């Protein structure tokens, strides 16, 4: 697809991310997926390149340009490895975003530069075993005792939970107030009582650690309250626009990589004395795949441009995320079919892309 009038800076960022993904991510993606862990040196390099502070302005140590550049970068990193794209998107949107938008100057000074540089990775502790999208049904409690918040509860599906140095934890501070009784807290993961119980064994995107966490008498200073008391649900929901743009771009990157692998295979694989791309059924399938990819990109870029302009775009971001994540599953399935018998094997040209695409439907809220 021809460039859609990107700025010179957006093109530069996209090309940098693409070169980095192809040279330093894609060759190792299968090994990381098998190990269930992204190499620490790679994450540090992402920080050095500014990929982990793309929603943070320069004044706080970040590399913010706009959300179009961010979406393009997430797509390229995800094309190299969906798990690395997940780490990048989640860290930027729900690791850095809430502190940038709701943190005090002291909280920003303490954390944003380290988060933007990758010296610290963030995680977002909202979901609980009994409360996924029903965030107002949280059972985690935070009590103010002698100038400190004491937090008790359990969290589930915490992306970056094992790697993170800082957790944004949501807990009920005023049970009688319902949705208005939830607050957000900055909790360094080295705090006693913050315990990573296990790393989940996922179907795909396994190199991105997803954890179950227990908070047992986990105590932080009163100043670690993020935003106002009782505004936790608003803080959680405020990240949906940027977060869904990022996940949509991740899904697009995974699907594009599957399409490109299928295209190469279709040109090389010979059946009945000609490359299978010359068979109409295969050619039609590839054309449909590319059409779906281009449609998803347009939805993502529209939402990203609205977000960059400071305009509300929750509906547009949600549409982009819904369409891109469902498109990714279909495109990756088609890529497996084009690969024929080898399509379902463990390598990334087949089943690996499909397993990764499925996970994007649940990130940042399922259907």
């Amino acid at each position: 697809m021809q460039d859609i009038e990107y700025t010179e800076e957006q093109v530069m960022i996209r090309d940098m991310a693409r070169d980095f993904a192809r040279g330093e991510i894609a060759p190792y993606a299968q090994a990381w997926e098998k190990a269930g862990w992204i190499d620490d040196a790679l994450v540090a390099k992402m920080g050095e390149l500014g990929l982990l502070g793309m929603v943070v302005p320069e004044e706080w140590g970040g590399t913010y340009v706009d959300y179009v550049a961010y979406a393009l970068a997430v797509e390229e990193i995800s094309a190299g490895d969906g798990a690395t794209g997940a780490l990048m998107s989640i860290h930027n949107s729900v690791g850095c975003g809430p502190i940038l938008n709701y943190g005090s100057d002291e909280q920003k000074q303490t954390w944003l530069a380290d988060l933007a540089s990758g010296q610290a990775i963030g995680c977002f502790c909202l979901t609980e075993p009994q409360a996924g999208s029903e965030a107002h049904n949280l059972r985690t409690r935070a009590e103010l005792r002698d100038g400190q918040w004491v937090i008790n509860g359990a969290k589930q599906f915490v992306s970056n939970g094992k790697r993170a140095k800082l957790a944004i934890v949501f807990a009920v501070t005023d049970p009688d107030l319902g949705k208005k009784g939830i607050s957000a807290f900055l909790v360094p993961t080295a705090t006693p009582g913050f315990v990573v119980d296990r790393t989940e064994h996922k179907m795909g995107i396994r190199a991105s650690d997803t954890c179950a966490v227990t908070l047992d008498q986990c105590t932080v200073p009163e100043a670690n309250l993020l935003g106002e008391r009782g505004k936790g649900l608003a803080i959680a929901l405020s990240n949906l626009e940027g977060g869904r743009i990022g996940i949509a771009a991740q899904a697009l990157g995974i699907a594009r990589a599957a399409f490109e692998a299928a295209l190469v295979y279709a040109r090389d694989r010979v059946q009945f004395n000609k490359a299978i791309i010359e068979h109409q059924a295969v050619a039609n399938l590839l054309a449909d795949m590319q059409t779906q990819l281009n449609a998803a990109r347009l939805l993502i870029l529209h939402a990203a441009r609205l977000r960059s302009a400071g305009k509300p775009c929750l509906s547009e971001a949600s549409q982009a995320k819904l369409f891109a994540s469902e498109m990714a599953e279909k495109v990756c399935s088609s890529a497996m079919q084009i690969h024929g018998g080898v399509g379902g094997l463990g390598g990334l040209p087949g089943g690996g892309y499909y397993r990764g695409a499925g996970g994007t439907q649940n990130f940042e809220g399922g259907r």
Side-chain angles (χ1 to χ4, degrees), residues 330-344:
K330 295 173 185 174
V331 166
C332 292
S333 177
S334 296
M336 282 202 299
Q337 300 307 313
I338 289 172
H339 278 85
V342 301

Side-chain angles (χ1 to χ4, degrees), residues 32 50 52 58 71 115 132 164 195 207 231 239 241 255 264 276 287 313 338:
W32 296 339
L52 299 178
E58 288 186 18
L115 289 168
V195 180
K231 298 295 184 180
N239 291 282
E241 290 183 354
V264 170
I276 62 172
C313 63
I338 289 172

Side-chain angles (χ1 to χ4, degrees), residues 278-298:
E278 297 179 35
H279 294 285
Q280 187 174 20
V282 174
N284 286 346
L285 192 56
L286 287 164
D288 287 342
M289 294 161 70
Q290 188 165 47
T291 300
Q292 294 290 303
L293 289 166
N294 289 341
R297 183 173 291 108
L298 290 172

Side-chain angles (χ1 to χ4, degrees), residues 318-336:
S318 299
Q319 291 173 49
K321 189 267 181 184
L322 172 65
F323 184 86
S325 61
E326 293 189 345
M327 172 278 300
E329 184 179 22
K330 295 173 185 174
V331 166
C332 292
S333 177
S334 296
M336 282 202 299

